Amino acid sequence: MEQWSEETIAAFRKTLLKWYDENKRDLPWRRDHDPYHVWVSEIMLQQTQVNTVIPYYERFMSMFPTINDLAAAKPEQLLKAWEGLGYYSRARNLQRAAQEIVDDRNGEWPTTAAGLQELTGIGPYTAGAIASIAFGEPVAAVDGNAFRVFGRLLMIDADITKPATRQLFAETIDQIIDPQRPGDFNQAIMDLGSSYMTAKNPDVAHSPVKAFDRSYETGHVLDYPVKTAKPRPVPVDYVALVIHTPAGYLMTKRPSTGLLANLWTFPLVKVSDLLKDDEQETDLMDVDIVSRAEQAFETETEIPVSLALIGGRAVTHTFTHLKWQIRLVSAELSTVPDISLFAGEIVAESAFDQYPMPVVQQKLWRRWQAASKK
């Protein structure tokens, strides 16, 4: 790992911040230093690209302009505002932390990274970003960009998938961060990591800090940061039941905990739940899966249906550790059924915008629309 002198650190700060002042991205959450704005944007940016986040952020702020509005929001309204961003626990934790600030702290924000981490859903990176940008604390915000930028600049060979490595990077960056402009410094690293120092196809030759980049000098840019490969997501097969009635579609609400908590989807049946003793999923033909899904649904709900398989490739959706592969089956009912035993509701298409639905449901809906037009 490269060690910088005080003179090098001073030169790096000057070079980086000059570039940032001249080239920083015009993002809606950067137009002030309000901790609420910084916080919401940083939570949205987790696992999501900047261009995707901008319209969500602007809509979210129009719906919940203050932290008090967020704290008082109805859960269904909150999830609808978050719909499409995924990782819905982020939205629920946002509201819990808002309530902690409003109710338990009389609306007063913690002003240090350590204090911010006492709030629900705020980890070291988010705390560092808020503390440095909103409150001027000279503390690192260590995310993927910081790992990439400083891993390459200093040729840090510690594996970033290991928890101890985050602390190593934080301590290293804390020695380099500009104490007068810590928020701008951290945001400059974010911009640098998303432009010249990207994970793939970086443009290091034109990077404003290439003179400080040890990995560029030695021809080892793509060797950093050091990261062990993640295991592939485990495939899980489902069947989605698209059951249409004169009043609308049968929809179920996901459990209050676990993946996609409290969101609405077509009824989903895990294929592994349709297996008999000693059977493997590969033993089942499509006709077996359809007939068993039909039987399982009728047994549970007492709603008779005649399901038909919708052709084409399975709809896929990848979570961190799981890859859902979903085939659609459909049924058209001529009358509105008794749904007293069905764990859900009949929802008219015109009312879909009142029900928070995850991205995977939106994929299923698009597939169904395409199939119905054929």
Side-chain angles (χ1 to χ4, degrees), residues 67 100-111 116 119 135:
I67 194 169
E100 290 164 6
I101 292 171
V102 171
D103 299 334
D104 303 339
R105 298 172 180 263
N106 298 316
E108 294 293 324
W109 281 82
T111 59
L116 287 160
L119 299 171
F135 301 115

Side-chain angles (χ1 to χ4, degrees), residues 57-107:
Y57 172 85
E58 292 175 334
R59 184 177 70 170
F60 194 91
M61 285 302 163
S62 69
M63 295 176 67
F64 314 114
T66 70
I67 194 169
N68 297 74
D69 297 313
L70 175 58
K74 295 180 179 179
E76 292 281 319
Q77 184 186 23
L78 174 65
L79 290 175
K80 192 65 185 176
W82 202 267
E83 182 182 87
L85 276 174
Y87 300 92
Y88 291 87
S89 61
R90 294 183 295 169
R92 287 185 280 269
N93 287 337
L94 264 176
Q95 184 170 51
R96 291 192 192 103
Q99 292 165 345
E100 290 164 6
I101 292 171
V102 171
D103 299 334
D104 303 339
R105 298 172 180 263
N106 298 316

Side-chain angles (χ1 to χ4, degrees), residues 6 48 144 216 288 290 322 344:
E6 289 299 322
T48 311
Y216 175 61
D288 300 319
V290 173
L322 299 174

